[in-house]
Amino acid sequence: MSALQRHVVVAGAGIGGLTAAVALHRRGWRVTVCERAPGPTAVGAGIVLAPNALRAFDAIGFDVTRAVGRAVPAAMGLRRSDGRWLNRADTTALTARYGGPPLAVHRSALAGALAAALPEGTIRYGVAVTSVDGADGSPVVRTSAGDLVGADLVLAADGIHSPLRHRYFPDHPGLRYSGETAWRTVLPSVVSPAEALTAETWGRGERFGVVPLADGRIYVYATAVAPEGYRPADVRTELLRRYGTWHDPIPALLERIDPAAVLQHDLHDLAAPLPRFHHGRLAWLGDAAHAMTPNLGQGGCQAIEDAVVLAHLLDGAGGGDVPTTLAAYSAARCARTDAIRVRARRAGRIASLTHPLAVAVRDLAVRATPARAAHRAMDGLFAGFTVPAGMDTVPVDVRTRW
């Protein structure tokens, strides 16, 4: 490989893979991204970028708001199915504590903005990484296109069902079903004040979320305790049956959904942590490394953190020992991501309670929790990531966005 320009192959053009590609491109790497999908798509749902993810993007000089918008809701919180608030926080308080509130964006818009920050031809759509040979020395990537690609570094950002994770950790137990399935979609625009608030509503074994996106659209999602693989024949009827009598604006939102645009996925996480996030010159990030349930809204955020930390460590190593640098990446990321994975699992168990008495106790406990205590509970997530020292981009103060 050229000593002047190192080459990285990224398996997967999701948020984590694209963030890593942008970060390394801006640090002089030649980047090839292999994505099994035939091309970029507008299909998808929302992603909430918490303050930790926004700081990570700032560290690599990527301005999210320029790409996807900057509108944020006035308040966010938890509600009961009758509309009563269990807790509520305004964005002023979040800005004061974390430098800015979370920013909700459409996944496809974010992915498109990241892709646009890469040189033309960097992403090879319709091409999957099928294997990586020689990861301990000089990696050679085999693709579904039948070619062999040499690399100084390979990043496995190939998602929750990561084939590369399965190959290099064959004894790992794999994924665990959480017991919940989820429906997600995006509606064209906010049409009432109630729809402009970010809220998750808890029932008995069911949840419904309303999240205004930065571009003016609305991301809605619902979860329910259900057998793995459960798929109703009529999505609209199913959602109306479960949530149609809940508080406004939920019934009106359900009437506006396009059933063909509703995504349904069972919620899984890793059954156990990986022992490490690297093998020689191959590293895992995002769901491939630490798949977690979405109960804390941190899956994508942790993938972004992974990418920024990895790029920083590689940049600091210069032309040095890549395997040693990847070992440092594992050391920096394994404990934090696994703690969040476990915390997300526990949060899901609480939110999906079904017994009436347990639900009543849960709701009472949430209502009784002081705002200061609730904020402290989020500090480890939102303030747990700091911009790595020595980044060559001057971080932008996220408060200037609002």
Side-chain angles (χ1 to χ4, degrees):
M1 298 299 168
S2 169
L4 297 178
Q5 188 175 42
R6 296 165 292 175
H7 182 212
V8 56
V9 174
V10 182
I15 301 304
L18 289 174
T19 302
V22 170
L24 290 173
H25 164 65
R26 292 183 173 185
R27 281 158 179 75
W29 287 70
R30 181 165 66 92
V31 180
T32 301
V33 180
C34 296
E35 169 53 46
R36 69 177 66 249
T41 176
V43 176
I47 178 173
V48 178
L49 300 174
N52 53 305
L54 294 172
R55 281 195 297 275
F57 274 139
D58 288 338
I60 63 171
F62 180 74
D63 186 348
V64 179
T65 60
R66 178 177 296 178
V68 299
R70 64 181 67 237
V72 297
M76 54 194 69
L78 291 173
R79 306 178 79 169
R80 301 193 324 182
S81 60
D82 61 6
R84 187 172 183 179
W85 289 92
L86 298 174
N87 68 29
R88 182 171 175 172
D90 61 40
T91 55
T92 301
L94 293 173
T95 299
R97 193 173 188 90
Y98 303 116
L103 182 71
V105 304
H106 197 290
R107 281 182 178 269
S108 65
L110 177 58
L114 288 165
L118 295 169
E120 186 176 354
T122 295
I123 305 175
R124 299 179 64 191
Y125 288 108
V127 177
V129 170
T130 57
S131 66
V132 177
D133 301 328
D136 290 312
S138 299
V140 175
V141 176
R142 296 179 181 270
T143 77
S144 59
D147 54 0
L148 305 179
V149 182
D152 298 285
L153 168 67
V154 181
L155 300 184
D158 50 348
I160 190 170
H161 299 289
S162 171
L164 291 175
R165 183 183 67 224
H166 178 71
R167 177 180 176 183
Y168 280 90
F169 300 98
D171 297 326
H172 188 274
L175 300 177
R176 176 201 70 102
Y177 178 50
S178 69
E180 289 185 281
T181 193
W183 297 271
R184 298 172 297 152
T185 193
V186 173
L187 300 178
S189 62
V190 172
V191 298
S192 74
E195 295 175 5
L197 299 175
T198 294
E200 183 170 283
T201 301
W202 288 359
R204 291 172 50 189
E206 297 171 334
R207 288 178 280 168
F208 196 96
V210 180
V211 183
L213 299 181
D215 63 6
R217 290 182 287 178
I218 309 172
Y219 168 41
V220 296
Y221 63 88
T223 71
V225 174
E228 188 173 10
Y230 172 72
R231 296 294 183 271
D234 187 322
V235 172
R236 184 192 298 277
T237 299
E238 176 78 2
L239 296 178
L240 285 170
R241 178 181 69 82
R242 290 182 178 274
Y243 313 100
T245 61
W246 288 21
H247 67 80
D248 291 334
I250 293 173
L253 291 170
L254 291 176
E255 292 294 341
R256 291 167 54 199
I257 67 169
D258 174 5
V262 176
L263 306 175
Q264 182 179 358
H265 295 95
D266 294 336
L267 301 182
H268 294 84
D269 63 2
L270 282 191
L274 292 183
R276 61 191 181 280
F277 290 171
H278 74 287
H279 179 96
R281 290 175 176 264
L282 171 63
W284 285 261
L285 70 156
D287 283 346
H290 45 69
M292 59 186 68
T293 54
N295 299 298
L296 299 176
Q298 280 289 312
C301 296
Q302 290 305 304
I304 293 164
E305 284 191 17
D306 289 343
V308 171
V309 170
L310 179 59
H312 165 64
L313 291 172
L314 288 167
D315 192 46
D321 185 354
V322 170
T324 299
T325 304
L326 296 188
Y329 162 71
S330 278
R333 297 300 298 160
C334 283
R336 173 165 167 79
T337 55
D338 192 57
I340 294 174
R341 179 188 66 86
V342 171
R343 185 173 169 183
R345 177 182 294 185
R346 291 172 178 167
R349 288 173 178 164
I350 293 171
S352 62
L353 289 171
T354 58
H355 192 283
L357 180 58
V359 168
V361 172
R362 174 200 68 190
D363 292 354
L364 180 62
V366 173
R367 287 189 61 218
T369 301
R372 286 174 296 179
H375 287 157
R376 284 197 298 271
M378 302 306 293
D379 285 350
L381 301 178
F382 293 174
F385 173 80
T386 56
V387 176
M391 296 293 280
D392 58 9
T393 299
V394 177
V396 177
D397 186 340
V398 294
R399 288 170 292 189
T400 63
R401 294 199 183 100
W402 291 283

